[in-house]
Amino acid sequence: MPDTRSRSATPRARSSGFDLLSVAGIRISIDYSWFIIFLLVAWSVTSWFRQQLPDAGAVTVWSLSLAAALLLFVSVLLHELSHSFVARFKGIPVERIT
């Protein structure tokens, strides 16, 4: 006998994280591991900023690195939102992005 339960009725494991916001009914969640990855990306960019701005202080370099990392993740979020909107347009339900 085929399973007649809908996908939304199936229990899902909750990842370790928290809901950030909702866009057009799509919940956006952040996993706690994102903070580690964010800092690693920012740290990896500091050497490039130090080369480009040799007279800049540590605060300036780290501020620019954190801003660059944040912009990277914002662009990834926008990319994933566009996938979600196309999926909804084609009739595929999308509830959340993590």
Side-chain angles (χ1 to χ4, degrees):
M1 177 182 260
D3 187 7
T4 57
R5 293 180 296 173
S6 70
R7 288 183 149 232
S8 61
T10 309
R12 293 182 181 227
R14 174 87 168 127
S15 66
S16 60
F18 59 92
D19 288 342
L20 182 64
L21 60 106
S22 181
V23 175
I26 301 170
R27 289 179 304 186
I28 299 171
S29 301
I30 292 184
D31 190 85
Y32 293 123
S33 63
W34 178 86
F35 293 101
I36 296 168
I37 296 166
F38 175 78
L39 289 175
L40 286 172
V41 169
W43 176 70
S44 68
V45 179
T46 57
S47 62
W48 186 83
F49 279 115
R50 281 191 190 113
Q51 284 181 339
Q52 299 302 313
L53 305 167
D55 296 332
V59 172
T60 302
V61 168
W62 270 100
S63 297
L64 290 170
S65 298
L66 291 170
L70 185 62
L71 288 172
L72 170 71
F73 283 106
V74 166
S75 70
V76 170
L77 174 61
L78 292 174
H79 174 86
E80 294 305 322
L81 272 173
S82 67
H83 281 295
S84 299
F85 293 145
V86 170
R88 280 189 168 178
F89 179 76
K90 295 193 176 263
I92 301 168
V94 178
E95 298 173 6
R96 122 178 293 132
I97 297 172
T98 303

